[in-house]
Amino acid sequence: MQKATKTIIEPARELLVIYETDLCVVGGSCTGTFAALRAARLGLRVAIVEGQNCFGGVATNAMVNIWHSLYDTDGSNQIIAGLTEEAIDRLKKRKAVTVKDSQNQGHSPMYFILNTDELKIELDEMVTEGGVQPFLHTLFCAPYVKDGELAGIIVENKDGRGVIL
């Protein structure tokens, strides 16, 4: 590949404010989705920006269909709960998760095998029910800084470039 020797200057342009929110989560992995949901449940107006076509990150897009135990390694104390446990419980109602006991295999006491396509649907429903404003197929481009402070983010999707304040 030849090294670029020419440059151009992109002229400034006005950007449409596409949404105003208290909190914008960039990245719709399970962790990002759960963070957005928790903030919304605490009363914040929340948006979530995800470049892919669904929430869940590698759990859904890369079909990483095994989640670890909610308990410590000897199975005596539950150490994970919250939205992870809620998502598993919701998947159980869909018959979209299998609980596996692995005590005799040298692993934590149990783990979960997920139907990742059902997880996509469940995460969509959780986001909708939680009142989080989703932006799928949307890429983070740059921070929007006003008076030296972060005031929003510049994003781009099929509708073009815009700002979430």
Side-chain angles (χ1 to χ4, degrees):
M1 183 173 196
Q2 187 178 8
K3 185 176 178 180
T5 57
K6 295 181 182 180
T7 62
I8 63 166
I9 296 173
E10 183 179 14
R13 55 186 153 170
E14 288 185 29
L15 297 178
L16 180 67
V17 174
I18 58 175
Y19 197 71
E20 292 188 48
T21 188
D22 298 317
L23 175 72
C24 183
V25 176
V26 178
S29 66
C30 288
T31 303
T33 302
F34 294 163
L37 286 167
R38 182 65 179 134
R41 288 179 181 180
L42 288 171
L44 296 179
R45 185 172 179 200
V46 180
I48 186 168
V49 173
E50 171 55 45
Q52 298 298 318
N53 64 342
C54 64
F55 299 112
V58 295
T60 55
N61 286 313
M63 296 185 294
V64 176
N65 66 339
I66 297 178
W67 274 0
H68 49 77
S69 173
L70 302 177
Y71 291 83
D72 61 10
T73 55
D74 65 6
S76 59
N77 295 305
Q78 185 171 350
I79 58 173
I80 299 171
L83 286 155
T84 300
E85 185 174 37
E86 181 180 328
I88 290 168
D89 289 343
R90 291 173 70 123
L91 288 170
K92 285 178 183 175
K93 291 178 185 174
R94 291 180 175 271
K95 300 187 183 340
V97 64
T98 303
V99 180
K100 292 287 190 173
D101 184 0
S102 62
Q103 284 180 330
N104 297 327
Q105 299 174 18
H107 300 287
S108 56
M110 70 180 82
Y111 59 95
F112 304 95
I113 299 176
L114 312 171
N115 178 322
T116 56
D117 286 327
E118 291 288 340
L119 179 59
K120 290 176 187 179
I121 295 167
E122 200 58 59
L123 291 172
D124 277 350
E125 289 183 2
M126 291 172 79
V127 165
T128 301
E129 291 167 9
V132 175
Q133 176 63 51
F135 289 93
L136 295 173
H137 296 283
T138 302
L139 300 175
F140 166 82
C141 296
Y144 169 61
V145 178
K146 183 177 179 182
D147 299 327
E149 292 192 19
L150 180 66
I153 62 169
I154 298 170
V155 296
E156 197 161 317
N157 59 27
K158 293 177 183 181
D159 292 330
R161 207 164 170 94
V163 179
I164 298 173
L165 297 177

